[in-house]
Amino acid sequence: MREILGRRRRLLSRRGDEGPDLIGAALTFAAEWQWPVLPGVAADPQNGSRCACPDPECTVPGAHPFDPGLLAATTDVRMVRWWWTNRPTAPIVLATGGKAPCAVSLPALPAARALAALDRRGMRLGPVVASPTRWAILVKPYSLEQLGELLYAQDFVPGSLRFHGEGGYLALPPSVTAQGEVRWERAPLPGSASPWVPDVEAVVDVVVAALTRTGVSAPEL
């Protein structure tokens, strides 16, 4: 019995040493939550801070679709399993919009202040994705018309605020990109059902105010 337990501990330790369970996470997103995903381009193996794609000025290194392209995103379990079996370290990229959540992202410091402000209001939030430089609040799918009306009502929309809607994408945990590890700042609740997310209207005013107060108006790469 001791020998069996010892072997089990070694196997669990070895799995942890191999890094995050990307295939397990990708299968959860696709099969259980019905979020279409695809593997992202990796960081440059010769220079981990750069992207492996052909664009030397890539602004989201190691955190975007390349081959396959975004239109290949799927919830098909066999395809997802094949992708990550062959590319086990590939970042997980969510195709936002449609039946999947959209997102509102902003630099990390004002994002933390925005979350604190939403908490003070008693606002219910769903998952929040965090990278070393930016956080993304997942929201319900929205149309361009809906988003346009929301932004038109603002006196000023900071350039560092990004919207990941239909035709957009977002790297999901536990991906590792050229900018660092992608993690959950607010993790989804355990369970097989797709996580609840708020309407975009519930967060826009607060994130714009957080960016305006901190002076982060220009785009941050």
Side-chain angles (χ1 to χ4, degrees):
M1 177 62 73
R2 289 180 180 176
E3 182 179 353
I4 294 173
L5 289 174
R7 185 189 307 170
R8 182 178 298 173
R9 290 193 185 103
R10 286 194 298 272
L11 289 172
L12 289 173
S13 175
R14 186 184 306 164
R15 183 178 181 184
D17 291 343
E18 291 173 353
D21 181 18
L22 288 161
I23 189 170
L27 288 170
T28 295
F29 300 142
E32 297 182 13
W33 299 355
Q34 292 297 294
W35 290 3
V37 295
L38 75 162
V41 64
D44 187 336
Q46 303 300 322
N47 183 347
S49 64
R50 297 178 64 88
C51 193
C53 75
D55 183 3
E57 304 298 326
C58 181
T59 58
V60 281
H64 66 89
F66 176 62
D67 181 19
L70 185 62
L71 292 178
T74 184
T75 59
D76 183 84
V77 171
R78 291 172 298 178
M79 190 73 249
V80 170
R81 190 182 300 278
W82 185 86
W83 274 332
W84 271 275
T85 298
N86 289 277
R87 299 168 60 180
T89 62
I92 303 170
V93 174
L94 168 70
T96 54
K99 295 183 179 180
C102 293
V104 178
S105 73
L106 62 162
L109 177 59
R113 295 179 179 178
L115 261 61
L118 289 165
D119 287 341
R120 287 193 296 271
R121 292 187 178 192
M123 181 67 64
R124 180 186 177 190
L125 287 176
V128 177
V129 176
S131 73
T133 57
R134 298 184 68 86
W135 293 7
I137 302 171
L138 299 189
V139 296
K140 292 179 182 177
Y142 52 76
S143 66
L144 287 176
E145 292 78 12
Q146 180 184 10
L147 179 62
E149 290 178 2
L150 288 173
L151 298 183
Y152 183 77
Q154 301 292 325
D155 293 331
F156 173 70
V157 179
S160 57
L161 185 61
R162 297 177 189 164
F163 294 90
H164 309 256
E166 185 77 30
Y169 59 86
L170 183 71
L172 293 177
S175 302
V176 178
T177 74
Q179 295 176 325
E181 180 183 355
V182 181
R183 61 177 178 82
W184 295 113
E185 174 62 27
R186 298 283 177 92
L189 296 176
S192 60
S194 180
W196 180 90
V197 292
D199 291 319
V200 66
E201 294 93 332
V203 303
V204 166
D205 288 348
V206 174
V207 297
V208 168
L211 285 168
T212 303
R213 284 198 302 272
T214 54
V216 184
S217 59
E220 289 197 358
L221 303 182

